[in-house]
Amino acid sequence: MPQRNDDVTRRRFLRDGLWGACLAGIGGVAGFAAHKGQKVDWLWQIDPYKCTACGNCATHCVLEESAVKCTHVYGICGYCEICFGFFDPEPFDIHEGAENQMCPTGAILRKFVEEPYYEYTIDRPLCNGCGKCVKGCNAFGNGSLFLQVHHDRCENCNQCAIAAACPAQAFRRVPADQPYLLKSVDHV
Amino acid sequence: MVRPRPILVALAALLVVGVAALGLERFPPPEFETDYVRPTTTAPNPPQGVWEYVDAGVLAVTLVLATVLVLRTRNRKLIFTLMLFCLAYFGFFRDGCVCPIGAIQNVTLTAFDPGYAIPLAVLIFFALPLVFTLFFGRVFCGAVCPLGAIQDAVLIHPVRVPRWLESGLRLIAYLYLGAGVLFAAMGAMFIICRYDPFVGFFRLSGNWEILVFGGCLLLIGMFVGRPYCRFLCPYGVILRQLSRLSRWRVTITPTDCIQCRLCEDACPFGAIRKPTEPWPDKEYKVARRRLAFLLVLLPVLIGAGGWGGYELRQWLALVHPEVRLAQRIYLEENALVEGTTDASDAFRALGRSSDELYAAATQLRDRFGLGGTLLGAFVGCVIGGKLLTLSVKRRRADYEPDPASCLACGRCYAYCPKEHERLKRGREGLIRH
Amino acid sequence: MNEPSVAYRTVRTTAKVAGTFTVLFLVLLVGNLIGTTVIGPLREDRLAAMKVALRGGDPTDEQLAEIRQLDLQIRRNRVWRLDFAHKTGHALLASVVVLLVAGRLMRVLNRRPPQPQNALDVGAEQLREARVSRWAVTAGLVVLGGGAAMLVMVGAPLAFVAAEETGPAYASREDKRLQWHRFRGPDGAGVSIFTNIPTEWDGATGKGILWKAAVPLPGNNSPIIWNDRVFLSGATEQKQEVYCYDADLGRLLWTGDVPISPAAAQARIDPMEDTGYAASTMATDGKRVYAIFVTGDIAAFDFNGRRLWYKSLGVPDNAYGYASSLETHQDRVIVQYDQGHGDEDVSRLYALDGASGRVVWEVKRDVPNSWTSPVVVEIEGRLQLLTLTDPWALANDPADGAEIWRADCLGGDVAPSAIYAGGLVLAIEPYSHMVAIKPTGQGDVTKTHIAWTMDEGGPDVCCPVSDGQYAYLLESHGLIMCCRLADGEKVYEHDLRDNFTASPSLAGGRLYFLGMDGVMTIAEAGPEYKELGKNELGEKCHASPAFVDGRIYIRGLENLYCIGGAVAGDRAD
């Protein structure tokens, strides 16, 4: 019986030691992470200079309708009359009819500015992030249309499903206080 | 879905006209003669960052509540109600992301990626349940975790899973934890989040493959208590070990066990352990020999696991997109495959040299050699340790829950006659007052 | 067995109804999923097909209305399906909640008092449990080990080269010396370092001709050769293609397609017939080949015919059709892109990254369209990129495009390219003169570095060729002029009485002049004209021939010929 008691105290001692070690371990990990930690959250964003507009953004988002949408930087736009982000690669006619438009949801609006310039704007609610216009604009235009994760819709998953499926590895985490990676005119 | 309405902010587009080094300035931006002014690009702001801290606060409060309900009040109905609240809040209202299970990876990435720093709210999510478990057992699993809650909510007709099956299947969780940590450390992906089976239900949308997987788990979960928690959850693996050491823990009976055997069938998770009998004499010798053998086997298993993991480095490395890309480019450059993929096209469009890619991928492969060794050693250690624990007998005089497996759901309390006595006394005390 | 209570029956009925609804909503959701993933794309394909059908002709208003109607239908359907999925999802959640509550209530109403399990021999039971569990864990070990062993045996499909020295990703200038990697070979000089070049063949009998292969699409560009491969391109208004032939057998190994950019298709480029749609000769850096067409579409292929990239440099504004050939420097391709009238800021000199087509550097030049080709030559240990325009002869640094020197010495429609010989850069203004520039200056060297000018006319198409002592000029109606390099003095004139567009070449001390009728006149190089013979090919030839070890490759209007022996000399591999 005394032997048994010995046993119990030894076991208790061992257990207490382990318990302390675990607590210290959690504290250590938390302390290390906290000293490196940051106040703001991370968000997912697309690097427009890496994106190839492959079309995965429209299909791989966990939302029924992707959080990725087309974004337009007007300063880069050439305001072309024949915009290959707007028109089919081989438009039958330079006319806004559905038969000539590239956008499957009709989310690009075109407005005459002055001869020979047209302004193109994205109707955000309609855009589904398929990237067809981005592809056309990058291949034949100035590349002023590009895809971005729009944070009013983004669920900010810990592992973005599109990022995992992005062939160009164009997704990266950005701090929440700089939520967008917009193209700029003087990109080098 | 109630979310703070994002404010549309205007992000001023820089109107500096220069030479774009990428692509051609095919059409110089026009200089307008009319008074047309270029619009500025607008994009919606992310939701306010306070929510993460609200979540962390709610987590702390619910953990305290759960501890009180499980250890003091001992009331299954209240525990269940709290669990439903957490399911509604953390799951359906806050979309079940970030959760402590996934936070394992964020912590790992913080340690390995100099460019990544863990958001403090996520760190709180990771560490707080661990601390609570170290003190009070798995109260987080019992009442706070939304993934556990959704399974507990569908559990209607529990059937017993034989212990041997449970022991075998639990290896998956250890493997999953190891893989999750390894892939996060390598920056390959967050595999635990990628294949989270229930987050799709919380959002009411998701990839249908994952939804089907989660649906199957829930169907199984109607009969098998919490299959994800018991056989898959990587965070549960950590909680199990901490819970073994916990200061306070769930007891079936509030006072002393009278061996009435009424609670034998109470636990849908197979966590109740019966009192033990001493070893029969002839078994004892065999058991001692077996123990000696297994003690020798443990380092062998660790070594073999490490070696196996190292040998698997090529396979493990394929999880990393950079390595897969290098492989693809290599095949294409040497005419071993036809055509190109989106990934190889994107690589060429960026104009990195393939040698640079091969160098990066080779470095990653080597790192996966070390990572695979550690993962294999870990798995070997787990299997050896499991065999050891299955070969020793704990002395138990009472019916009590195994602290590692007990999910602190409180179902067994009502089965104990002593508990009914306690409740009765409490009621009488109230009446006397 | 007594009747279940009313409450229990009510709950049971509720559970059944909720279960039915759950199944119904699930079926609806799956149907919706099938609708979005199967039927939706079918409709979109139909729309795309209808759009394509439009291109052909003149659609009626009904056709247009039909397309627009279908487009609208697709869009509406998409929105409707999203909305439907959203609502059905919520309804499903509600029905599942009801089902669960009912199921729980059924359990509560039907609760049996706790029952201990059958009392067995607890000790034995526990031992058995532990033993079977150990076996289960061991089985897990076997499964894991077996799986790992199998994977290791199969071996991961991971075979990329480690980052050891794989050498540079392009051929050195020394390697290029032994090949014919661009228009007129190394340095664009039209000079072969091989002396074993054939001198006798006959197209009619096939004597001396190793093989002859049909070229699918026409083009005035010349063949280029790298080891065992011959590359050339062809194009029409509808198609642009690159061809790779086996140099020993004449087999067409692969055909590469270069898409016509929409802008070029829109512009309906109509080059002069003498230019054609594929006038520019390709170039290779030993790893990749590059081709550019009259449309301004440029593409790169690897040696296996895989297109690495293609892009449009913009539709060239060119009076006769864009015709400058390409040059390579390290792993870059150099494009001389002169166009317009000289005052619209549209002419460029580009260096594109061979792997990606990205612009490494570009130089804007205020010059009008020209038809000369860039050459990279080594001058006193330094590389210079030479281009001829109206009015400048220019030298840039191929590394970054920085200008080294320029000389104002040309005018009009410049077509013959520069060559570097005897320490001088020779530049020709058609019908007017030839200047020799000392390429050692900086900045504007018009007044300081022009060594001499020979103003007794100059070829309008063909480039000059030089053996280091004399320069030989060939005018397109057949007049050969030979000038001394030292002072530009004319040494002799000789009329070949034939028409020429191919530039003269020099190999083994012999001059090769390929006439438009396919007659190759061979003469000895030197201060007087000594004809060595004439060989007939029997097919019209516009392109300059290519010379490598023991062979000549000649592109006729329809066929590619290889002249020489079956066994090439030692290839530099």
Side-chain angles (χ1 to χ4, degrees):
Chain A
M1 210 62 203
Q3 191 194 355
R4 171 103 198 250
N5 271 341
D6 259 9
D7 216 24
V8 169
T9 38
R10 204 175 321 135
R11 188 170 285 179
R12 165 148 304 168
F13 177 74
L14 200 69
R15 249 194 56 176
D16 287 356
L18 262 178
W19 187 88
C22 280
L23 196 60
I26 297 171
V29 169
F32 163 77
H35 107 88
K36 205 190 154 182
Q38 58 168 22
K39 288 269 190 315
V40 291
D41 205 352
W42 293 96
L43 303 171
W44 291 98
Q45 195 47 277
I46 303 170
D47 182 341
Y49 295 102
K50 285 187 177 175
C51 167
T52 55
C54 66
N56 280 359
C57 284
T59 51
H60 281 74
C61 184
V62 296
L63 298 175
E64 284 283 351
E65 166 132 293
S66 178
V68 172
K69 290 189 182 288
C70 179
T71 309
H72 191 196
V73 168
Y74 297 89
I76 301 174
C77 183
Y79 286 76
C80 315
E81 182 182 8
I82 303 177
C83 164
F84 288 107
F86 182 79
F87 288 112
D88 251 334
E90 297 174 42
F92 146 78
D93 186 6
I94 302 306
H95 170 287
E96 286 86 349
E99 68 277 8
N100 302 317
Q101 275 196 41
M102 168 107 76
C103 179
T105 60
I108 306 185
L109 308 173
R110 160 181 160 107
K111 194 178 87 189
F112 177 72
V113 178
E114 64 181 59
E115 198 54 43
Y117 299 129
Y118 282 81
E119 178 194 271
Y120 296 89
T121 44
I122 308 293
D123 185 354
R124 260 181 13 101
L126 283 179
C127 174
N128 67 346
C130 74
K132 287 193 170 79
C133 57
V134 175
K135 221 176 180 132
C137 179
N138 271 315
F140 307 114
N142 289 354
S144 61
L145 295 168
F146 52 93
L147 294 174
Q148 287 284 277
V149 175
H150 280 223
H151 293 298
D152 57 332
R153 296 187 46 79
C154 176
E155 295 279 8
N156 196 17
C157 308
N158 204 16
Q159 168 66 68
C160 170
I162 321 175
C166 177
Q169 298 175 54
F171 274 73
R172 67 167 193 249
R173 292 183 178 86
V174 294
D177 41 16
Q178 301 154 10
Y180 290 92
L181 297 169
L182 294 186
K183 276 189 174 180
S184 64
V185 186
D186 56 349
H187 175 84
V188 173
Chain B
M1 187 93 263
V2 190
R3 273 282 171 91
R5 284 220 62 75
I7 319 149
L8 282 182
V9 287
L11 294 155
L14 300 161
L15 296 176
V16 192
V17 180
V19 178
L22 246 108
L24 303 169
E25 272 283 316
R26 294 185 179 89
F27 308 102
E31 287 167 22
F32 297 105
E33 284 156 16
T34 51
D35 53 4
Y36 171 79
V37 180
R38 280 188 181 81
T40 45
T41 305
T42 57
N45 252 352
Q48 298 303 313
V50 296
W51 274 98
E52 285 77 37
Y53 294 100
V54 173
D55 289 349
V58 174
L59 177 75
V61 171
T62 47
L63 277 172
V64 170
L65 253 177
T67 306
V68 172
L69 293 182
V70 169
L71 298 181
R72 293 292 307 274
T73 322
R74 294 170 55 87
N75 182 327
R76 166 68 190 158
K77 279 202 177 70
L78 290 177
I79 296 172
F80 188 70
T81 312
L82 177 64
M83 190 191 86
L84 287 182
F85 167 78
C86 290
L87 173 60
Y89 181 83
F90 291 116
F92 289 96
F93 178 57
R94 299 292 298 144
D95 294 336
C97 199
V98 170
C99 69
I101 306 173
I104 297 171
Q105 301 160 121
N106 300 64
V107 172
T108 310
L109 190 64
T110 308
F112 285 89
D113 182 352
Y116 180 82
I118 193 167
L120 292 176
V122 178
L123 181 62
I124 293 169
F125 260 80
F126 172 75
L128 210 52
L130 295 183
V131 173
F132 267 82
T133 306
L134 205 49
F135 277 93
F136 309 111
R138 298 175 69 171
V139 290
F140 168 75
C141 300
V144 182
C145 177
L147 285 85
I150 196 171
Q151 295 171 89
D152 212 316
V154 300
L155 177 56
I156 287 178
H157 187 87
V159 296
R160 277 167 54 86
V161 178
R163 268 197 71 192
W164 62 267
L165 187 61
E166 184 145 6
S167 303
L169 287 176
R170 196 173 296 131
L171 289 178
I172 303 174
Y174 286 93
L175 197 62
Y176 200 15
L177 171 68
V181 168
L182 174 64
F183 296 152
M186 293 292 160
M189 68 155 154
F190 281 9
I191 189 172
I192 297 171
C193 299
R194 190 81 188 77
Y195 299 106
D196 180 338
F198 305 122
V199 75
F201 298 120
F202 297 149
R203 297 190 184 113
L204 294 179
S205 79
N207 309 344
W208 68 267
E209 297 94 336
I210 305 274
L211 283 173
V212 168
F213 172 53
C216 291
L217 269 181
L218 287 184
L219 272 180
I220 295 169
M222 290 169 77
F223 308 103
V224 175
R226 295 198 182 196
Y228 182 83
C229 306
R230 284 155 80 191
F231 311 131
L232 289 172
C233 181
Y235 196 63
V237 165
I238 305 173
L239 295 182
R240 282 178 72 80
Q241 311 312 324
L242 295 179
S243 183
R244 283 182 205 281
L245 304 168
S246 59
R247 297 266 124 173
W248 292 272
R249 53 183 55 168
V250 173
T251 55
I252 300 172
T253 178
T255 49
D256 53 330
C257 177
I258 53 171
Q259 311 281 332
C260 68
R261 299 181 49 216
L262 287 178
C263 66
E264 269 180 3
D265 209 11
C267 185
F269 313 121
I272 295 179
R273 300 282 178 267
K274 294 173 187 169
T276 51
E277 304 274 319
W279 288 101
D281 276 349
K282 62 176 192 297
E283 288 281 349
Y284 189 60
K285 280 205 178 82
V286 178
R288 274 182 58 174
R289 267 210 302 273
R290 185 188 303 127
L291 198 61
F293 168 71
L294 289 175
L295 276 170
V296 175
L297 188 69
L298 180 67
V300 175
L301 279 177
I302 293 175
W307 175 74
Y310 179 75
E311 287 297 319
L312 282 177
R313 67 192 179 283
Q314 308 247 12
W315 285 103
L316 292 170
L318 277 176
V319 174
H320 205 291
E322 188 89 338
V323 178
R324 285 202 302 272
L325 176 66
Q327 173 63 8
R328 176 75 204 182
I329 296 288
Y330 177 80
L331 291 176
E332 286 180 17
E333 281 193 341
N334 292 283
L336 299 167
V337 285
E338 289 285 305
T340 61
T341 61
D342 282 348
S344 61
D345 290 343
F347 167 78
R348 292 198 176 86
L350 273 181
R352 288 168 65 195
S353 79
S354 46
D355 285 346
E356 181 199 333
L357 175 70
Y358 295 152
T362 308
Q363 199 183 9
L364 274 170
R365 191 167 52 179
D366 295 343
R367 284 177 61 197
F368 268 101
L370 176 63
T373 308
L374 292 174
L375 174 64
F378 169 71
V379 171
C381 179
V382 165
I383 292 177
K386 259 195 147 1
L387 290 172
L388 275 172
T389 49
L390 286 168
S391 307
V392 292
K393 254 189 178 205
R394 288 280 156 71
R395 267 190 284 269
R396 260 192 314 269
D398 300 344
Y399 279 86
E400 52 186 43
D402 167 28
S405 302
C406 171
L407 297 172
C409 69
R411 279 184 177 83
C412 53
Y413 299 156
Y415 286 76
C416 182
K418 284 287 192 186
E419 173 76 3
H420 287 285
E421 269 179 36
R422 182 183 80 94
L423 292 173
K424 210 162 145 192
R425 272 204 310 277
R427 278 199 297 273
E428 282 166 0
L430 280 177
I431 289 163
R432 266 207 301 278
H433 279 289
Chain C
M1 194 74 206
N2 47 4
E3 272 293 292
S5 65
V6 177
Y8 181 79
R9 275 185 312 199
T10 317
V11 173
R12 193 172 58 188
T13 314
T14 314
K16 279 180 181 164
V17 172
T20 316
F21 271 100
T22 303
V23 173
L24 174 74
F25 290 137
L26 265 175
V27 169
L28 286 175
L29 273 176
V30 171
N32 193 44
L33 179 75
I34 290 169
T36 1
T37 51
V38 181
I39 299 165
L42 281 178
R43 276 200 183 134
E44 277 163 31
D45 290 348
R46 204 173 101 215
L47 181 69
M50 282 165 85
K51 279 186 179 181
V52 170
L54 273 191
R55 311 263 177 267
D58 198 11
T60 58
D61 286 350
E62 285 86 56
Q63 275 178 306
L64 286 184
E66 192 188 2
I67 285 194
R68 290 173 192 176
Q69 188 55 43
L70 180 62
D71 183 73
L72 188 66
Q73 192 188 359
I74 287 174
R75 293 187 206 175
R76 278 199 180 138
N77 189 267
R78 202 180 129 264
V79 174
W80 184 85
R81 279 195 188 287
L82 277 175
D83 189 50
F84 181 84
H86 188 72
K87 286 183 175 137
T88 317
H90 278 91
L92 177 66
L93 182 68
S95 65
V96 167
V97 168
V98 173
L99 178 66
L100 288 175
V101 171
R104 277 181 177 278
L105 277 176
M106 273 164 70
R107 292 257 321 159
V108 169
L109 293 171
N110 210 7
R111 172 164 289 165
R112 286 192 305 266
Q115 284 179 329
Q117 292 153 31
N118 295 334
L120 293 161
D121 176 356
V122 176
E125 170 73 9
Q126 283 169 344
L127 285 177
R128 200 184 61 84
E129 230 173 28
R131 193 178 65 238
V132 180
S133 296
R134 277 197 301 272
W135 280 116
V137 173
T138 313
L141 173 68
V142 171
V143 169
L144 283 177
M150 223 166 71
L151 287 178
V152 172
M153 299 267 254
V154 171
L158 206 57
F160 48 79
V161 180
E164 304 122 347
E165 269 311 301
T166 46
Y170 51 87
S172 66
R173 289 181 61 79
E174 287 64 44
D175 296 338
K176 287 177 178 175
R177 291 248 149 269
L178 302 169
Q179 311 284 353
W180 200 266
H181 75 283
R182 50 150 295 153
F183 176 58
R184 302 193 78 223
D187 293 353
V191 178
S192 173
I193 64 163
F194 294 101
T195 55
N196 56 353
I197 300 297
T199 53
E200 288 183 13
W201 61 90
D202 184 0
T205 62
K207 185 178 77 136
I209 295 181
L210 181 60
W211 53 259
K212 163 183 172 182
V215 182
L217 295 184
N220 288 331
N221 62 84
S222 310
I224 62 167
I225 296 105
W226 195 274
N227 286 341
D228 57 349
R229 305 201 165 206
V230 185
F231 303 95
L232 33 77
S233 66
T236 61
E237 194 183 354
Q238 287 81 30
K239 261 204 307 204
Q240 302 177 140
E241 289 181 341
V242 169
Y243 308 108
C244 171
Y245 289 85
D246 182 309
D248 297 326
L249 307 170
R251 265 189 323 150
L252 177 59
L253 294 175
W254 51 260
T255 299
D257 167 63
V258 182
I260 296 178
S261 58
Q266 278 278 293
R268 290 273 151 82
I269 296 173
D270 188 17
M272 222 170 71
E273 201 176 331
D274 287 354
T275 310
Y277 289 91
S280 310
T281 298
M282 298 168 64
T284 174
D285 55 14
K287 297 273 178 194
R288 294 175 281 259
V289 285
Y290 309 96
I292 192 167
F293 296 88
V294 78
T295 49
D297 297 332
I298 181 169
F301 294 82
D302 68 9
F303 275 29
N304 300 309
R306 208 179 47 246
R307 194 177 64 214
L308 303 175
W309 50 266
Y310 69 97
K311 71 195 299 179
S312 164
L313 296 176
V315 182
D317 171 14
N318 192 300
Y320 310 131
Y322 178 78
S324 295
S325 295
L326 299 172
E327 167 69 297
T328 55
H329 166 66
Q330 295 178 349
D331 56 350
R332 297 170 188 174
V333 55
I334 310 283
V335 192
Q336 183 178 345
Y337 211 64
D338 296 338
Q339 50 172 329
H341 305 284
D343 48 8
E344 312 99 315
D345 181 36
V346 283
S347 292
R348 297 280 186 279
L349 186 61
Y350 291 116
L352 308 181
D353 175 40
S356 64
R358 273 183 323 136
V359 178
V360 180
W361 54 257
E362 61 176 300
V363 179
K364 299 186 177 186
R365 18 210 278 163
D366 49 353
V367 297
N369 49 193
S370 69
W371 296 266
T372 60
S373 301
V375 293
V376 175
V377 294
E378 190 175 330
I379 295 171
E380 295 184 0
R382 181 185 184 180
L383 292 180
Q384 295 193 12
L385 166 58
L386 307 176
T387 50
L388 302 184
T389 66
D390 163 18
W392 303 101
L394 292 154
N396 298 67
D397 186 337
D400 55 10
E403 189 174 300
I404 302 171
W405 55 261
R406 58 166 63 202
D408 181 351
C409 56
L410 303 170
D413 294 339
V414 205
S417 307
I419 63 166
Y420 173 66
L424 296 168
V425 171
L426 302 183
I428 291 168
E429 176 175 327
Y431 312 115
S432 166
H433 59 257
M434 172 162 78
V435 287
I437 306 155
K438 290 201 289 284
T440 50
Q442 293 281 342
D444 190 337
V445 299
T446 312
K447 298 197 169 54
T448 53
H449 284 70
I450 295 201
W452 47 259
T453 305
M454 188 286 295
D455 44 16
E456 296 190 38
D460 53 341
V461 177
C462 309
C463 308
V465 67
S466 168
D467 54 10
Q469 295 212 288
Y470 303 96
Y472 305 90
L473 278 59
L474 176 65
E475 293 186 354
S476 47
H477 53 265
L479 184 74
I480 304 174
M481 274 196 288
C482 168
C483 314
R484 230 193 339 259
L485 272 188
D487 50 12
E489 281 305 308
K490 192 152 74 173
V491 182
Y492 72 76
E493 265 188 15
H494 177 81
D495 194 349
L496 282 175
R497 299 176 194 287
D498 196 352
N499 293 316
F500 293 85
T501 54
S503 295
S505 320
L506 187 76
R510 296 182 294 274
L511 292 161
Y512 286 76
F513 304 103
L514 179 60
M516 281 174 83
D517 288 337
V519 178
M520 180 81 88
T521 308
I522 307 178
E524 200 166 300
E528 53 194 85
Y529 182 78
K530 265 196 245 158
E531 193 162 300
L532 300 173
K534 282 186 188 292
N535 299 292
E536 298 226 8
L537 192 63
E539 186 173 333
K540 284 198 177 308
C541 298
H542 293 177
S544 303
F547 299 79
V548 284
D549 195 1
R551 289 186 187 167
I552 309 175
Y553 294 87
I554 299 177
R555 180 182 194 159
L557 283 199
E558 288 169 354
N559 296 292
L560 174 65
Y561 295 83
C562 171
I563 293 157
V567 180
D570 297 340
R571 277 225 186 84
D573 273 327

